[in-house]
Each structure stands twice: as C-alpha cells, then as structure tokens.
Amino acid sequence: MSEHHHPNYVKIWAILVGLLVVSVLGPMLGIQIVTLITAFGIAVVKAYLVAKNFMHLNIEKRYIVYMLTTCLVFMFLFFAGTAPDVMEAEGSNWEKPSFELYDEAASHTVGHGTAHH
Amino acid sequence: MAETVPSHPPAPEEGHPHHEEMSFWSKYIFPLDHKMIGMQYLFTGIAMAMVGGFFAYTFRMQLAFPGIEVPGWGLVSPADYNALVTNHGAIMIFWVAMPVLIAAFGNFLIPLMIGCDDMVFPRINRLSYQIFFLSVLVLIASFLVEGGAFGGAWTAYPPLSAKAEYSLTPLGSSLWLLAVALEFVAFLLGGINFITTAMNSRAPGMKMYDIPIVVWMIVLASIMFMLSVGPLVAGAVMLFFDQQLGTGFFDPARGGDPVLWQHLFWFFGHPEVYVVLLPAMGIVAEIITVFARKKLFAYKTVLYTAFGTGILSFTVWAHHQFVAGIDPRMAHIFTITTLLISVPIAEMCFVYIATLYGGSIRLTTPMLWALAFIAEFLIGGVTGIFLGASGADIYFHDSYFVLAHFHYTFFPIAIIGFYAGITYWFPKMFGRMLDDRLGKIHFWGTIIPFNGIFLPLFILGLAGQHRRIYNYEHFPELATPELQALRVLATVSLLVMLGFQLVFLVNFVRSLRRGEKAPQNPWKANTLEWQAPSPPPHGNFATLPTVYRGPYEYSVPGRAEDYWPQNAPE
Amino acid sequence: MSSRPIATTRSATEIPTGKLAVWWLLGSEIVIFGGLLASYIMYRLAHDAWHAQAAATNTWIGAFNTLVLLTSSLTAVLAHQAAEEGNGPKAAKLLWATIGGAATFLIVKAFEWTMEIRHGYTITADTFWSFYYTAAGLHAAHVLAGAVVMVFVARSAARNQELHRVELAGIYWHFVDIVWIFLFPLLYIAK
Amino acid sequence: MIERLVASASSYAPDIDGLILLIAVLVGFWFLLTEAVFFWLILRFRARDGQRAEYITGEEKSQKRWITIPHLLVLVCDIFIVVGAVRVWYEVKQHLPEAQQTVRVIGQQWAWSFVHPGPDGRLDTADDIKTVDELHLQKDVTYHFELTSRDVLHSLSIPVFRLRQDAIPGRVIRGWFRPTKTGVHDFQCAEICGIGHGIMAARVIIETPDEHAAWMAEHAPTTSLAAAAVR
C-alpha cells in the first residue's frame, strides 16, 4: 500500500471545509430546493470524499465497496418497504388521526423552549 | 492482529514455554481455544433448551387441562402464561438455535474445517461468549424482578411492550429487551470473527469451492445476521427509551407509530429464520454426503441458492404484517417476493434429495436425523406457502396454523439439526463414540411424538383458533370438545417427547465417560476436521494441512477407498 | 506452535485480517445508524411540526463540531501516513491531536446539550428531541469509543509498535466522521 | 375443507376457502411427490455389500435438468398461487364495495366496544347504539367497519367471516364484510394485548332483518330515554 501515491490530504480537508461553509450558508437563502441540495447533496459529496480519500476505499479491494454498498441498499429497501405505512398519514382504507392531532399540538408548543430565553 | 501476549491463557510468567497444564480456570472458564468456547456455547444452549422445554411443558399442560396445578410450576395465571410463551419463543430462537447452530458448531467447526489452528480473534471470541452469558443472566433476572417476566410475545410489539401501565411488567420488559440486545452484541462480535476467519485463514490450497457447505452456511448466516440486525438494534434503543425514559418513539399520541417497530423487528425477524436455517442445512449437507458416500449434487447450485435465499429474505419481511395494519397495496409486493423465495429453498431441498440418488446409504443415527430434517422441513416449507399468500393469510394470521408451520421449520432447524450435528461430530468433539442403539431409540422417540404435537395444531388453526390464548373456554363456539381432544393429544405427545430426551442425556453423559474411544475418522469423511486427532488438541493439527480438492469427493471411480480426504496429496 | 494462532497470520483475501474485521464492523454500524436515521427521516417527513422544533437547534455549534470532526479526520489520515512511513512517534502525536478533536467535540456537545436541556428541550419534550438526543448520543458514544481506542493505539505507536493499528483506528474514525456529516444536515440544517 | 371445522358466514369466506384449497392442492401435490421420491431413494439406495455409490457431480446439464425442471414447475405453481392470493386480497382488503351500514369497532384492554349506527343508519348521531362485547349485524347487508384501538394493539378476528385485521392506536382502518347466515359466533382478539388477552372475547350476532329491527328498537338510546322519561 505504501507504494501508491498519496492524495494531498490537506487539500481535501480544505475542500471539505469549503463545502461545510456552503452547506451552512446555503439554507440561509431560505429557498427550500437550495437547502435540500446544499444540505444533503453536499453531505453526500463530503461523505464520498472522506470515504474515497481518507478511508482509501479507492484502492481497497472491490468487494469491500460492494459489501458496504449492499448495507446501504438494504437500508433503502427498508425505507421503501416501511415508508408507505409509517411516513404517510393516510393510505388505502386507513388513516392516522393521531398524526394530525400531534402536529397540531406540537406546533403549539414551539414557543415553550424559547420562552425561557 | 499482532498479539504480544501468548494466545492461550497466561501462564503466570510471560515467555515461559507453554504446554504446561493450564489451570481449570483458564482452560474451561476463560478459554481462548475456539473448541472450548464452542463447548461453552453448546452447554449453555443445551441448558437453555431445557428451560425452554420446561416452559413448553408448563403452558401445554395449561392448554390441555386448563386450571390444573402443573407439577413443577403450580397454577398458571394469565400473566404466567404470557410470560411463558414469550420467553419460550425468545429462548428457543435467541438462546438455543443461535448459540447452538451458529456459535457452537461455528466455533468448533470453522477453524477445523478450513484447516487452521484457531479463530483469528480468540479474545474477541471469548468476549462474545461472556456477553452472551451475561445476556442469559439478565434474562433469568427478568423472571425474578418485581412485576414478573415480560409477557408481550417475542415480537414485543409496542405499545404493549413500551408502557408499564399496559404490560404490567415495568422491569421485566426492560430486562428482557436488554438481554436480547446483549445477545445481539455477542453474535455481532462472534459473527465478525467467523466471517474474517473463514475469509482469511483458510488452509493453503483451499479455494472458494473447496470450502465445506456448512462453513459457507454459517458464514452466510453471520453476514445475514449482521446486515439485518442493525435496524432492530436501533429499534431496541428506541423501545428501551420509551420504556425507561418515557419518550414517544412508538406512541401515536406523540407522533410515533407502533407499526414502525413491526417493520424494524421483521426486517430482522425474517432473515433471522434463514440465519438459523442455513447452518442446519449445512450440517445436513455434510451428513448426507458422508453417509450416502456421494458427492454433493451440484455444489455450486447449493451455494447460489443459499445466496439467492439470503438476498431475497431481505425483501419479504412484511408478510408477517399482512393484516397488521400495513397498506393493503404493499401486501401484493410482499406476496410475490415471499412466493419467489420458495424457489431457491425448494431447489436446495431438491439438490439434497438428488444427492441420495445412486448413493450407498447407511442409516446411522446422524443420517437418520439428517433425513428426518429434510422430510419434516418440507412440511414446514409447504405450509409456509399458505401464509405467504396474502389472501389466505387473512384467515391464518396468528392462528395455530402459523404456530404449527413455524414449529415445523424451527424444530427441524434447532432440534433435529442440533441432534444431527451432535451425533455426527460427537466423536470429534469428545473423542468417544455415542451409543448407536440408544441414539436410534431417542431418534424415533423424538420424531414420532414431534408430529403428534404439531399435526393436530394445524387442525386447530384451520378451525380458527388463535395462539397465545391461555384458556379457550371463553369461546364457546370455537372450543369444542373435539378440538380440546386434539390439544390434549398435542400435550401428551409433548410429554412423551420430553421423556425421550432423557435417553439422549443418558447416552450423552454415559458416552462422555465410558463410550468407546473414537478413531480419528470414524465415518471415513473427507473434510479436514476428521484429519485431526479426536478430540483435537489445542492448535488442532500436528501439522497444518494443505488442501488439494473439494470436500465431497466420495466414491471417486478408480480409487480403492471410497473417500478421499481433502488434504491427501494423492 | 507460536504464541499466537497461525490463523491470524494468514490472509487468503490479501486484506489484512484486522482491516477486514474493521470493514465488517463498519458494515454492521451502517445498518444500525441506517435503521435509526431511516426511522427519523420517515417521521420527519410525516410531521410538519418538526420544522418548528428543529429551528431551536443551534446550527453554529453543529457547524463548529463538524469542522472539529473534519479536522480530526485529517490528523487521523496524516497519522496513518506517518505510520506507513514507519514514523511511530509522529503518528502518535497526530493521533493525540485526533483524540483532542474527539474531546473538543464531546465538550462542545455537553455544553450544547446542557443549554438545550435548560431551555426545556429534554429528550421527552417532543419526539423530535427524542431522535435528536438518541441519534447524536449514539454517535457521541462512538466518538468516545474511538477516542479510547486511539489512546491505546497512540501509546503503542509512540514506541513504534503495532503501527498497522493506526490505519484501523483511522478507518473507524473516518466512519464516525461520515455519520456526523449526515447527522449535521438532518438534525441542524433542515429547518 | 374448513367449513367442516368452522361455519362460513360471509360473502367472501368461500373465496378464501377456495384459495386455501387451491394452495393445498398445488403444494400438496409437490409435497407428496417430493416425499415419495425421497423415501423411494432411501429404500432403493440402501448400502449393499460390495456395491459402491456412483460418482455424480450434478454439474453437467443433463444432470442438472433433474433440478431445474421441477424448479421451473414450482415457479409456475407459484404464479397460480400469487394470482389467486392477490385476487382474494384485493377483494377482501383493498377494494371496499359500497356500504349499506357502517359500524365502529374499538379495542381496548380487554374488551371490544361497538358503535352501531342505530335506526337512522348513520354513525355519530344521537341514536347510535353502543355495546360492549356484542356486535349485532343484519344478514345480507354490506357493512363497513372502522377499526381502532384505545391503548395497545388488538386484532379483530371473526373466524366464520375468515377475517382478521389488527387494530392500531392512533390509526383508523376500514374494511368490510357481508354476513350471509344468521347465527351467534365467536369474535376474538388475535394480537397479544396483555394479561387479559385470553378473555377478550366478544360475540357477533347475525340476525334476520326483523330480529335486527326489533333489537334496534329495543336498544336505540332515544327510545330508551323516551321510555325512561315516560316512566
């Protein structure tokens, strides 16, 4: 492993910090789509950079990457199978009155914490 | 990992030449040797099987003769009944099937069968057992605390499991959950060890397709366990916080959803079935090839079907929840995936049956168990189709039909698979032969009553009776005398079966002390563990073997012997 | 027989055994965090009310902690480089810097949580906060575990022993970093 | 098959029974065939002196056929079963026919409460009839049910209807049934719900139109209140 050419770690760190700044500032524009892209798109890019360069997945055996990807795929599978029941407030022949009641109650308690300031 | 400490327990002065007698303490209580850790798992598993069997005896007595004083327990109250069925299920899966099939056989067999001297992380291996043992203690403690043991079924669905006001077991449910979580940690550690050992430490020359099927199966099972248990670990933390801190992860009044737990649970729970099935299938593969003197029919197909089953098993979990409030449209998808999984499993059974063709079958005790596994597991397999088909599951859900179905899968897996394995490898484990005559008495005394227990329960299920109801007399229409008679038949069969287990215990203990000395390779098998002394010493092989061929080269034409050990150069 | 099993010296996959084990460990961690975060995302998308709850988190503290972890990842990978060059003492120094990052992270976290709890945002205040503390707490436990492991690795590395372990600790540490990279937008930014 | 064990009293019960029979025939055939081959092989290839086992790898195409052909046939059977299952499921759970009446079913530890719509045929009006552990239905009327729970999970199970549906707190689940025979039948809780799970029994009482009207007249709250006032 020592014979391979090291990436410039400090440079990658600088890129990561730059991305962090963007991901914090982006949402301040208040545009939802920008928030989504800057927050989660950049998180994916950052994770990719760390995994590739710091964890050296780029020079690791392929099946390690496959194994880790399989884990992620199973998580998406879990999400896809579960979300139609858990994430939705209503579906085919069922509804969750509890979600509506909760959302109403929860948005009233917002001030609760800040009131102590 | 470079260990600076000697790998077997410390002789007091470091660097002292080893091979002096280890103390009792370091040899049996805190061992690093994979075989001894396997034995610890084995004996703990057997002890827990006795506990689980005793629970089964207690609640079956209550079901057959409601309200009697069960000898050894007393009156079975509804709370007792719930706690008994809950812990019977949990114990048999988490504290019997998994430690015995995966941990005990895995620990004992993997290093021997791949031809190396130990696991790659002996100390993590020991830690894994210690955590497992701790989980047993926590589980036992859950019976002794105020409020009694948890009685919300092994699936622990909230809100019943989440709030003490519903379950009435404020401490029991948390301790139960903690015990299960500790067990998961133990098997995660053990699993990493198994996987890395089998991947990295194989004997020189042992290629992928030279690995015995049972090793493949245990490793695949460990991988599946590892990939499926994560969400449930997270879920267990959430449920624990719900119980002890009063959070509302699963509380609908606070934005939670009880159905989430069901998904977290079954995303693990369904692969878990295959986690214990695959090792049992592997054990059976080893035994039928040896005693039919046949090469395994289509080795690669077995592997592919195992992989296929493994992957598909992650896509079927919601068939446990068809009528549990999931969206009806999702049921179609899960019906299709569920019926698809019958294909690789059916294929695996066909392969095993095809292996018998042209064989020279010797019906020794291990072979009887292995064949019984196939015959009985088929019943469990085909009845599963009824439950995987969403339309039929509307009627069968949570009925005795389900119960009979999964006992026809789990009993072959956990009990028949265990007996097959233990009667086959006993000579290697303990260096003595089991008594074949007692073994056969025990076999027939177990198999016949086993069918007597669960065949009647299929009929109860067809008649619409549900599980987990401690006394059916509140249902005048459903509790007819004929159905009650079937219940009594099941209970009597159970008593007979439990009685015959004494034959095994006698055989086991007697053979340990006075059995005939076992030769190195009593069954004339090919795999590497039989090329080590019986029992193998610490370090296993005098010289570590090199592998020249696959594990199932039996009856190769042109050879004088009908077997050909993997490590024989010629 | 040598003092350690021959099993540990073999490497049929050509990946050192320790590293292979760390990768499998990370695989199991991915599904643990994956299950928790999948649950959180489902609830989050189901409940509009959580926007308001999330508004009470402090983005600046979260961003500072992200910076701390990113930097500690850098020192960890530099330590790995030093270990590869056979410079144990340098690797140890860089590892201590990483441990310092872990400590900073945990101290900031403690400060942040104290403030929030004082303002009434306890773990039972709302299910959003239950997730907030559970996810960040699970992550913090991993930070702590990583720091403890690195203390041992750094001490042996300083004596030029067990240098391959520097990489293993590093891989684990980068994973902890990646988890935080996702937790940060999930808990702090999306408001 | 099932009818001999427990009566069939809903419009879709025969469909579910038919599906179960279809599966039983298909898998029963495979099961018997496999077991027969299996036992025949064991008897046929018992070890005999001086006879060695054959060496068959099973890797060649001509040999693999013995596995792949049955396996394709199994797949074909699976398709039949999937089609049958999906059709029945759609009929029972997914597609609700127009309702003539709606009843509300509420599970709680450890009793079932029912809200019948009363003489006006509508829920949430003054004449709703509330009962505990007794569900009164009229024969040949299509009912919707609204199922929910007050505390933990419960499960509505009416074996004569071949119907199960879990009740979940915080969630209202709709379903339907159409009783086809009069009679009094057991109604169970099928999801463990605490120590009283075994006694959480109810009765479903299916009446002729006349009987049902009489019951309704006797129990509708307005009438009984009025009667009480007169007294």
Side-chain angles (χ1 to χ4, degrees):
Chain A
M1 166 125 19
S2 42
E3 62 270 18
H4 83 95
H5 177 68
H6 282 294
N8 186 340
Y9 294 124
V10 178
K11 197 170 123 197
I12 287 159
W13 173 80
I15 297 174
L16 287 169
V17 173
L19 288 173
L20 168 65
V21 171
V22 176
S23 70
V24 174
L25 296 182
M28 295 192 173
L29 294 174
I31 307 165
Q32 201 181 6
I33 185 79
V34 177
T35 307
L36 281 177
I37 292 171
T38 52
F40 295 101
I42 284 182
V44 173
V45 175
K46 279 198 288 190
Y48 171 77
L49 285 176
V50 172
K52 182 183 166 208
N53 297 303
F54 287 1
M55 294 169 104
H56 299 115
L57 271 177
N58 54 345
I59 49 168
E60 189 54 274
K61 290 260 182 247
R62 288 329 284 167
Y63 48 77
I64 297 296
V65 181
Y66 297 148
M67 185 269 281
L68 298 175
T69 318
T70 309
C71 294
L72 285 174
V73 168
F74 279 157
M75 285 304 100
F76 282 109
L77 199 67
F78 171 73
F79 187 91
T82 307
D85 302 317
V86 175
M87 201 170 78
E88 306 296 330
E90 60 182 318
S92 172
N93 304 331
W94 58 270
E95 64 198 20
K96 284 191 241 175
S98 66
F99 270 24
E100 206 173 308
L101 289 172
Y102 163 79
D103 271 350
E104 221 161 83
S107 41
H108 286 311
T109 57
V110 175
H112 166 67
T114 42
H116 292 268
H117 271 297
Chain B
M1 298 227 126
E3 308 272 341
T4 42
V5 231
S7 78
H8 38 221
E13 317 89 315
E14 271 211 341
H16 202 271
H18 39 269
H19 281 315
E20 81 262 35
E21 271 306 297
M22 282 183 280
S23 72
F24 171 83
W25 203 246
S26 55
K27 186 168 180 195
Y28 296 108
I29 308 298
F30 297 110
L32 288 166
D33 183 10
H34 69 101
K35 297 184 289 297
M36 198 52 73
I37 295 171
M39 292 302 120
Q40 290 183 323
Y41 269 115
L42 182 72
F43 286 110
T44 317
I46 292 176
M48 291 309 277
M50 288 178 188
V51 175
F54 173 71
F55 286 1
Y57 148 81
T58 309
F59 62 70
R60 280 241 58 98
M61 288 295 279
Q62 158 70 19
L63 284 169
F65 315 107
I68 68 157
E69 294 255 350
V70 179
W73 181 276
L75 209 60
V76 180
S77 71
D80 286 351
Y81 181 83
N82 284 354
L84 287 171
V85 294
T86 300
N87 286 284
H88 168 77
I91 285 174
M92 287 304 190
I93 290 173
F94 294 135
W95 283 279
V96 177
M98 292 199 47
V100 170
L101 288 175
I102 299 182
F105 284 124
N107 262 312
F108 186 81
L109 293 178
I110 289 176
L112 276 167
M113 286 186 125
I114 64 174
C116 69
D117 55 348
D118 207 331
M119 288 284 176
V120 288
F121 302 117
R123 290 193 294 183
I124 290 182
N125 208 9
R126 180 177 64 184
L127 180 66
S128 147
Y129 175 75
Q130 288 165 342
I131 295 175
F132 174 76
F133 188 72
L134 184 64
S135 79
V136 171
L137 295 182
V138 173
L139 183 78
I140 292 169
S142 80
F143 276 82
L144 308 175
V145 292
E146 206 180 328
F150 177 56
W154 81 287
T155 53
Y157 283 177
L160 180 64
S161 57
K163 282 195 183 167
E165 58 184 284
Y166 296 146
S167 66
L168 309 178
T169 54
L171 290 171
S173 21
S174 292
L175 285 178
W176 183 88
L177 193 62
L178 186 64
V180 173
L182 284 172
E183 202 259 6
F184 289 165
V185 173
F187 278 88
L188 280 175
L189 291 176
I192 291 175
N193 215 341
F194 291 173
I195 298 165
T196 40
T197 304
M199 280 179 84
N200 251 356
S201 301
R202 299 196 300 273
M206 185 179 261
K207 292 186 286 295
M208 251 181 54
Y209 296 128
D210 299 333
I211 304 173
I213 288 289
V214 69
V215 174
W216 265 116
M217 294 295 191
I218 292 173
V219 168
L220 278 179
S222 301
I223 294 176
M224 286 172 63
F225 177 77
M226 202 171 203
L227 298 191
S228 63
V229 81
L232 187 58
V233 171
V237 172
M238 287 151 75
L239 187 59
F240 191 81
F241 284 177
D242 270 13
Q243 291 171 344
Q244 291 301 326
L245 301 179
T247 55
F249 289 114
F250 303 113
D251 181 354
R254 296 166 66 190
D257 189 342
V259 176
L260 173 62
W261 168 268
Q262 303 184 9
H263 283 290
L264 292 165
F265 184 87
W266 287 116
F267 186 78
F268 160 76
H270 198 82
E272 169 70 10
V273 175
Y274 297 94
V275 167
V276 289
L277 168 67
L278 291 183
M281 283 290 218
I283 290 169
V284 170
E286 300 303 320
I287 294 171
I288 58 174
T289 48
V290 167
F291 292 107
R293 315 306 294 167
K294 272 290 304 290
K295 190 177 168 71
L296 186 67
F297 192 91
Y299 174 102
K300 288 183 187 168
T301 309
V302 175
L303 271 194
Y304 299 151
T305 53
F307 271 100
T309 313
I311 291 169
L312 271 177
S313 71
F314 281 86
T315 64
V316 302
W317 77 90
H319 66 215
H320 296 268
Q321 302 162 256
F322 278 151
V323 302
I326 65 166
D327 194 288
R329 289 165 296 190
M330 296 297 287
H332 301 312
I333 298 168
F334 284 103
T335 296
I336 294 170
T337 53
T338 304
L339 286 178
L340 270 183
I341 209 171
S342 70
V343 174
I345 285 290
E347 189 162 354
M348 211 186 286
C349 291
F350 290 157
V351 165
Y352 283 17
I353 292 170
T355 301
L356 298 175
Y357 181 88
S360 172
I361 297 170
R362 261 148 253 194
L363 293 180
T364 56
T365 313
M367 185 62 166
L368 283 177
W369 285 112
L371 294 174
F373 174 91
I374 298 173
E376 303 285 5
F377 181 77
L378 274 172
I379 303 180
V382 297
T383 50
I385 305 275
F386 291 86
L387 305 168
S390 51
D393 188 62
I394 299 171
Y395 184 56
F396 287 130
H397 181 76
D398 253 335
S399 71
Y400 269 104
F401 192 93
V402 176
L403 186 135
H405 153 70
F406 72 69
H407 278 88
Y408 263 104
T409 58
F410 273 115
F411 188 90
I413 290 169
I415 309 298
I416 299 183
F418 160 67
Y419 283 134
I422 197 78
T423 48
Y424 180 61
W425 279 294
F426 188 90
K428 185 56 60 185
M429 286 173 170
F430 303 104
R432 292 182 185 267
M433 303 299 286
L434 277 171
D435 185 310
D436 205 49
R437 202 168 50 93
L438 283 180
K440 282 185 173 141
I441 294 172
H442 170 233
F443 171 77
W444 292 110
T446 305
I447 288 297
I448 295 170
F450 159 63
N451 290 292
I453 302 171
F454 294 108
L455 284 177
L457 298 189
F458 278 121
I459 301 171
L460 291 185
L462 282 168
Q465 291 207 352
H466 285 296
R467 312 152 66 181
R468 296 169 181 156
I469 288 182
Y470 80 107
N471 180 351
Y472 240 95
E473 68 192 15
H474 300 281
F475 301 94
E477 181 199 21
L478 291 170
T480 60
E482 296 82 45
L483 295 181
Q484 188 59 25
L486 290 174
R487 230 188 272 282
V488 174
L489 171 63
T491 301
V492 172
S493 302
L494 176 78
L495 294 179
V496 173
M497 191 181 86
L498 288 178
F500 271 99
Q501 303 318 301
L502 292 178
V503 178
F504 172 76
L505 285 180
V506 168
N507 191 2
F508 191 90
V509 173
R510 225 179 54 162
S511 303
L512 265 187
R513 299 157 55 108
R514 285 183 299 168
E516 188 193 327
K517 283 264 184 217
Q520 178 167 309
N521 191 356
W523 315 119
K524 298 196 178 5
N526 285 346
T527 40
L528 292 177
E529 82 274 27
W530 298 105
Q531 321 312 328
S534 301
H538 195 109
N540 295 344
F541 298 92
T543 48
L544 288 175
T546 304
V547 169
Y548 297 96
R549 64 191 61 78
Y552 303 115
E553 297 299 314
Y554 292 104
S555 310
V556 178
R559 281 181 57 83
E561 292 283 353
D562 67 349
Y563 68 111
W564 202 357
Q566 283 188 279
N567 64 338
E570 189 31 62
Chain C
M1 203 171 62
S2 80
S3 63
R4 39 183 259 238
I6 290 154
T8 60
T9 61
R10 289 180 175 168
S11 180
T13 56
E14 295 168 12
I15 301 176
T17 301
K19 204 164 155 192
L20 190 61
V22 170
W23 286 122
W24 281 106
L25 177 73
L26 295 193
S28 72
E29 297 274 13
I30 287 179
V31 285
I32 294 176
F33 279 104
L36 187 64
L37 294 184
S39 307
Y40 168 73
I41 292 169
M42 281 181 234
Y43 280 5
R44 178 70 197 250
L45 293 176
H47 297 311
D48 291 338
W50 283 17
H51 285 289
Q53 300 287 344
T57 58
N58 191 326
T59 311
W60 296 110
I61 294 183
F64 176 75
N65 259 347
T66 315
L67 180 67
V68 168
L69 276 192
L70 285 177
T71 313
S72 71
S73 252
L74 173 70
T75 53
V77 79
L78 291 176
H80 168 210
Q81 195 177 9
E84 265 185 6
E85 288 156 6
N87 190 345
K90 185 180 169 200
K93 267 188 214 126
L94 285 160
L95 274 183
W96 282 110
T98 313
I99 296 164
T104 315
F105 179 91
L106 290 173
I107 290 165
V108 171
K109 189 120 274 245
F111 166 74
E112 177 192 17
W113 281 15
T114 315
M115 223 167 59
E116 275 155 357
I117 290 169
R118 200 172 289 155
H119 285 156
Y121 297 115
T122 59
I123 190 165
T124 51
D126 182 86
T127 306
F128 169 79
W129 293 99
S130 308
F131 269 110
Y132 173 83
Y133 286 107
T134 308
L138 193 63
H139 176 260
H142 282 78
V143 171
L144 188 63
V148 170
V149 168
M150 280 190 290
V151 167
F152 288 100
V153 176
R155 284 175 57 180
S156 56
R159 296 192 300 267
N160 262 330
Q161 286 165 356
E162 313 286 2
L163 285 183
H164 70 287
R165 287 187 182 174
V166 175
E167 183 187 8
L168 306 187
I171 291 177
Y172 174 84
W173 191 252
H174 302 312
F175 172 77
V176 172
D177 189 14
I178 289 182
V179 171
W180 184 258
I181 285 176
F182 284 104
L183 281 182
F184 172 59
L186 281 171
L187 297 176
Y188 292 87
I189 296 187
K191 292 189 169 161
Chain D
M1 172 170 65
I2 296 168
E3 246 184 287
R4 290 171 54 190
L5 291 164
V6 57
S8 140
S10 77
S11 56
Y12 47 64
D15 298 334
I16 292 181
D17 290 359
L19 173 65
I20 292 169
L21 189 66
L22 169 81
I23 301 174
V25 169
L26 287 178
V27 305
F29 167 76
W30 279 105
F31 172 69
L32 293 176
L33 182 70
T34 317
E35 295 275 7
V37 170
F38 176 68
F39 282 105
W40 175 74
L41 286 174
I42 294 173
L43 294 177
R44 166 72 183 72
F45 293 103
R46 287 288 294 275
R48 273 173 231 142
D49 282 340
Q51 194 179 340
R52 270 174 78 143
E54 295 172 42
Y55 184 79
I56 303 169
T57 59
E59 303 288 357
E60 280 142 57
K61 238 189 181 149
S62 60
Q63 296 166 346
K64 261 201 187 140
R65 258 198 333 233
W66 289 97
I67 302 300
T68 44
I69 291 175
H71 145 207
L72 286 175
L73 293 176
V74 166
L75 198 60
V76 172
C77 291
D78 276 355
I79 292 170
F80 279 104
I81 294 170
V82 166
V83 170
V86 164
R87 282 177 58 180
V88 170
W89 178 266
Y90 180 81
E91 177 195 356
V92 178
K93 291 288 182 184
Q94 193 174 334
H95 175 73
L96 307 188
E98 198 66 29
Q100 291 163 284
Q101 292 266 309
T102 302
V103 290
R104 189 167 292 147
V105 183
I106 302 157
Q108 68 189 85
Q109 282 182 328
W110 293 283
W112 290 101
S113 32
F114 302 101
V115 184
H116 304 75
D120 69 350
R122 287 182 16 220
L123 279 174
D124 299 317
T125 53
D127 68 346
D128 286 356
I129 305 173
K130 294 182 182 168
T131 57
V132 173
D133 290 345
E134 265 189 22
L135 174 62
H136 287 262
L137 302 173
Q138 186 181 327
K139 182 174 166 288
D140 293 329
V141 166
T142 303
Y143 284 90
H144 279 192
F145 62 84
E146 286 177 6
L147 180 65
T148 190
S149 161
R150 288 218 176 94
D151 35 44
V152 301
L153 304 182
H154 299 281
S155 184
L156 170 161
S157 164
I158 309 175
V160 291
F161 288 180
R162 311 284 185 268
L163 178 66
R164 311 264 191 276
Q165 179 59 57
D166 280 15
I168 300 171
R171 196 182 277 233
V172 177
I173 297 170
R174 260 172 265 279
W176 75 283
F177 46 72
R178 183 180 169 91
T180 52
K181 282 193 196 107
T182 56
V184 179
H185 300 291
D186 280 330
F187 178 127
Q188 305 170 268
C189 175
E191 188 65 67
I192 194 162
C193 58
I195 59 166
H197 174 59
I199 56 165
M200 197 167 154
R203 310 284 281 162
V204 49
I205 300 156
I206 307 168
E207 296 152 335
T208 61
D210 293 346
E211 285 166 358
H212 193 67
W215 173 80
M216 207 137 52
E218 194 182 329
H219 288 85
T222 41
T223 24
S224 54
L225 275 179
V230 169
R231 229 177 276 145

